[in-house]
């Protein structure tokens, strides 16, 4: 027996906004669209939901296919379904954003997928409503970073306080007072100072820190 035959069918896809932090800049992974319509236009990476998978599974599969990385931080942004958003068919897209450490992303894989890291403040015009997706994802990430330490997903395991401050400045788009920032960091037991020194990015040699997930889970009262 066939159900819902009186209703028109629509396509469902996912699009993934992948954020990275590099050279003091918040960046987004984009590439030239490899299919019609819109072939050659700058675009986010995405795919259509298969008949045998849920939308979260599709997003995870799409993200893993592009990055080769597992267990990444990923959250749903929302649904985008304007009637004319895709000139090919009636397509509703569910957007997700993910956070990765740029240095963990294999350069050869990036080249195979023909994608590039682009400064979020210099994004070109993207296909369809993808710029809108990026803006909405950024707003959600900004809100989340004030209440959860998700920013450490964008950093290497060992980082300097200057790197951490630059990350929060890049995400918020605002300068942060160095003294106040470091005072707040000092009060957070889950940001541990190590005995290691960074001599690559700091001439004087800056102390390296790390995020202690166990300490955070014991006292998750984070607010920055």
């Amino acid at each position: 027996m066939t159900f819902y035959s009186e209703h028109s069918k629509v396509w469902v896809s996912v699009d993934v906004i992948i954020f990275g932090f590099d050279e003091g800049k918040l960046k987004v992974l984009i590439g030239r669209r490899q299919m019609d319509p819109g072939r050659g236009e700058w675009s986010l990476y995405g795919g259509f939901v298969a008949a045998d998978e849920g939308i979260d599974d599709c997003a995870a599969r799409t993200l893993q296919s592009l990055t080769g990385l597992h267990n990444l931080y990923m959250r749903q942004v929302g649904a985008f379904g304007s009637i004319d958003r895709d000139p090919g068919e009636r397509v509703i897209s569910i957007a997700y954003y993910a956070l990765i450490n740029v240095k963990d992303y294999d350069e050869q894989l990036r080249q195979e997928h023909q994608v590039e890291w682009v400064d979020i403040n210099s994004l070109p015009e993207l296909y369809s409503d993808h710029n809108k997706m990026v803006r909405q994802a950024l707003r959600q990430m900004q809100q989340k970073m004030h209440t959860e330490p998700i920013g450490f997903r964008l950093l290497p395991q060992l980082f300097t306080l200057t790197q951490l401050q630059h990350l929060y400045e890049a995400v918020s788009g605002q300068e942060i007072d160095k003294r106040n920032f470091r005072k707040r960091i000092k009060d957070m037991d889950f940001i541990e100072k190590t005995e290691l020194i960074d001599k690559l990015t700091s001439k004087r040699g800056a102390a390296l820190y790390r995020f202690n997930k166990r300490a955070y889970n014991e006292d998750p009262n984070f607010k920055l």
Side-chain angles (χ1 to χ4, degrees):
M1 183 178 293
T2 301
F3 298 98
Y4 314 127
S5 58
E6 71 275 18
H7 298 288
S8 60
K9 294 183 179 180
V10 299
W11 296 87
V12 179
S13 68
V14 300
D15 286 292
V16 184
I17 303 103
I18 302 176
F19 290 114
F21 179 67
D22 191 35
E23 299 177 342
K25 305 289 184 181
L26 181 66
K27 298 185 177 182
V28 182
L29 198 61
I30 62 173
R32 296 286 185 178
R33 189 168 164 86
Q34 302 295 314
M35 59 187 293
D36 294 319
R39 184 183 297 270
E41 294 184 29
W42 287 108
S43 172
L44 296 173
Y45 195 81
F48 285 96
V49 180
D52 61 348
E53 67 180 350
I55 56 174
D56 289 349
D57 294 331
C58 179
R61 172 177 59 81
T62 301
L63 183 60
Q64 196 278 328
S65 172
L66 177 60
T67 66
L69 302 173
H70 300 274
N71 301 320
L72 295 174
Y73 180 90
M74 182 180 72
R75 292 293 184 272
Q76 187 181 123
V77 177
F80 296 78
S82 298
I83 295 174
D84 58 351
R85 66 173 301 274
D86 193 307
E89 290 286 352
R90 179 77 168 92
V91 180
I92 295 174
S93 181
I94 315 299
Y96 291 76
Y97 77 88
L99 310 179
I100 74 173
N101 176 13
V102 172
K103 297 298 188 294
D104 289 340
Y105 187 26
D106 184 76
E107 179 64 17
Q108 184 176 345
L109 192 60
R110 184 192 67 78
Q111 293 180 9
E112 287 178 7
H113 286 287
Q114 300 178 39
V115 290
E116 298 180 20
W117 288 108
V118 178
D119 184 345
I120 194 169
N121 295 313
S122 303
L123 276 182
E125 187 66 29
L126 302 178
Y127 176 75
S128 184
D129 50 9
H130 289 186
N131 289 89
K132 182 179 179 182
M133 291 180 181
V134 173
R135 290 193 297 270
Q136 193 161 316
L138 177 61
R139 286 196 296 270
Q140 291 185 13
M141 182 172 64
Q142 289 171 335
Q143 294 170 354
K144 184 70 73 173
M145 281 186 67
H146 284 297
T147 57
E148 294 182 27
I150 64 172
F152 296 103
R153 303 274 187 163
L154 296 164
L155 293 170
Q157 287 189 339
L158 296 174
F159 52 86
T160 66
L161 292 185
T162 298
Q163 286 176 306
L164 183 60
Q165 180 176 336
H166 287 169
L167 168 64
Y168 275 86
E169 289 177 332
V171 173
S172 67
Q174 299 176 343
E175 290 188 11
I176 299 174
D177 181 78
K178 180 178 178 179
R179 184 178 299 177
N180 289 338
F181 181 80
R182 299 204 171 195
K183 183 179 179 181
R184 281 181 285 178
I185 294 299
K186 218 173 209 181
D187 294 334
M188 298 175 183
D189 294 335
F190 52 85
I191 300 179
E192 293 182 338
K193 184 177 181 180
T194 71
E195 297 179 354
L196 301 173
I197 299 296
D198 172 35
K199 295 182 179 179
L200 294 177
T201 62
S202 173
K203 293 181 179 179
R204 294 183 178 179
L208 286 167
Y209 290 74
R210 65 186 168 204
F211 172 66
N212 186 324
K213 186 176 181 180
R214 180 182 296 179
Y216 171 73
N217 289 335
E218 292 175 355
D219 184 21
N221 297 316
F222 176 86
K223 190 171 182 181
L224 185 63

